[in-house]
């Protein structure tokens, strides 16, 4: 059975494998601080349905408490180690919504059900809760292993041991941009994501983390960094990893991958 990926925008995806629904970094807001959702309608209520929610790091556009409040009661929530202490309100939300919270670090594994498990891998990104807080929670990636092996990279830069740590995968969900005109350290742009793809060598890939949120009042500043990364990734991948099938979904589109 192939895996199904629905991209809801930014880093938010539903991964459906063997009847299990996993939701990555849910962000359903029209606006977050100085960012507004510029493209793609806010996801429908069904987007919040999940058996497990995977949070890659503590930045507010990845661990967003109002969006987590929309997932069904009793949902399992996998977060970086130290998240409870670093994010005010997470523990209270978990109590109010009966969320089952597991704090994890690279090397951990989480059994889900029906033969599906999640393997935790490292990422190269500042994972702290900004704008303050010590660096005490790691940024993470996840490999969902069921009928397929799907790598959700979260936010990360390219690093030498990426392919070794991630291991063989069938599908890669890779960040190819950001929410502003310039990317800082610890990010992949379209070309670096294609280089990562060449090292990972999955059967298929989907670009994420671009073309959704943008700073208010900056629509005319380097607009190609908002619109272009998905297709640029596909072009770079054709050159650097020609055997990989790249799908570039629209917001809310579901794709089936081998």
């Amino acid at each position: 059975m192939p895996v199904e990926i629905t991209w809801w925008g930014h880093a938010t995806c539903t991964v459906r494998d063997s009847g299990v629904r996993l939701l990555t970094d849910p962000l359903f807001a029209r606006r977050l601080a100085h960012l507004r959702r510029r493209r793609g309608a806010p996801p429908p209520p069904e987007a919040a349905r999940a058996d497990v929610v995977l949070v890659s790091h503590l930045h507010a556009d990845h661990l967003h408490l109002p969006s987590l409040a929309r997932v069904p009661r009793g949902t399992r929530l996998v977060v970086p180690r130290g998240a409870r202490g670093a994010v005010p309100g997470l523990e209270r939300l978990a109590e109010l919504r009966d969320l089952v919270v597991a704090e994890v670090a690279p090397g951990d594994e989480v059994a889900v059900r029906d033969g599906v498990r999640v393997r935790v891998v490292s990422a190269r990104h500042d994972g702290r809760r900004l704008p303050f807080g010590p660096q005490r929670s790691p940024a993470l990636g996840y490999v969902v292993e069921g009928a397929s092996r799907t790598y959700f990279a979260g936010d990360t830069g390219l690093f030498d041991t990426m392919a070794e740590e991630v291991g063989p995968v069938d599908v890669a969900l890779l960040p190819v941009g950001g929410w502003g005109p310039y990317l800082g350290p610890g990010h992949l742009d379209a070309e670096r994501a294609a280089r990562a793809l060449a090292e990972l060598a999955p059967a298929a890939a989907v670009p994420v983390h671009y073309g959704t949120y943008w700073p208010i009042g900056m629509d005319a500043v380097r607009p190609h960094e908002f619109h272009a990364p998905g297709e640029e990734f596909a072009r770079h991948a054709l050159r650097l990893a020609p055997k990989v099938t790249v799908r570039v979904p629209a917001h809310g589109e579901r794709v089936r991958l081998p």
Side-chain angles (χ1 to χ4, degrees):
M1 175 182 176
V3 65
E4 292 182 345
I5 308 295
T6 305
W7 181 51
W8 302 110
H10 204 53
T12 306
C13 301
T14 294
V15 178
R16 185 166 183 174
D17 189 317
S18 305
V20 176
R21 291 173 62 98
L22 303 101
L23 179 64
T24 66
D25 289 351
L27 182 59
F28 303 136
R30 290 182 180 273
R31 179 172 174 177
L32 174 63
H34 65 298
L35 307 177
R36 68 177 174 89
R37 192 177 182 103
R38 185 179 170 196
R39 189 167 66 181
E46 69 179 70
R49 289 198 299 113
D51 299 295
V52 177
V53 175
L54 305 176
V55 173
S56 64
H57 62 289
L58 305 190
H59 291 175
D61 58 325
H62 293 259
L63 197 167
H64 185 244
L65 293 176
S67 295
L68 290 175
R70 291 176 51 180
V71 305
R73 299 182 69 87
T75 299
R76 298 176 67 183
L77 177 60
V78 180
V79 299
R81 182 184 56 208
R84 281 189 176 104
V87 181
L90 178 58
E91 192 70 30
R92 179 61 174 161
L93 176 64
E95 293 175 358
L96 289 172
R97 301 293 299 165
D98 296 323
L99 303 179
V100 180
V101 180
E103 293 192 343
V104 296
D108 290 345
E109 292 186 1
V110 178
V112 183
R113 62 176 174 83
D114 298 334
V116 177
R117 66 173 185 162
V118 175
R119 189 161 47 83
V120 185
V121 298
S122 65
R124 299 299 186 271
H125 190 70
D126 183 346
R128 82 186 81 187
R129 187 68 165 184
L130 299 176
F132 48 81
Q135 182 70 49
R136 60 183 179 187
S137 289
L140 305 174
Y142 297 99
V143 180
V144 178
E145 299 187 345
S148 296
R149 295 164 298 186
T150 302
Y151 171 46
F152 170 63
D155 249 2
T156 186
L158 185 63
F159 56 99
D160 291 341
T161 60
M162 176 182 280
E164 178 184 349
E165 290 191 41
V166 172
V169 291
D170 304 297
V171 178
L173 309 180
L174 295 177
V176 300
W179 51 252
Y182 300 97
L183 287 175
H187 292 89
L188 296 175
D189 61 11
E191 193 273 338
R192 289 194 295 269
R195 286 167 50 198
L197 188 67
E199 296 182 12
L200 294 165
V206 174
V208 301
H209 203 276
Y210 77 100
T212 309
Y213 292 91
W214 204 248
I216 294 169
M218 297 187 68
D219 290 6
V221 180
R222 294 171 59 87
H224 60 284
E225 298 294 347
F226 178 85
H227 294 285
E231 294 299 337
E232 285 187 353
F233 170 72
R235 289 195 295 273
H236 286 300
L238 185 61
R239 174 174 57 89
L240 296 173
K243 294 183 179 181
V244 181
T245 298
V246 175
R247 299 288 298 273
V248 185
H251 290 77
E253 182 180 355
R254 178 186 301 173
V255 297
R256 301 184 73 192
L257 299 167

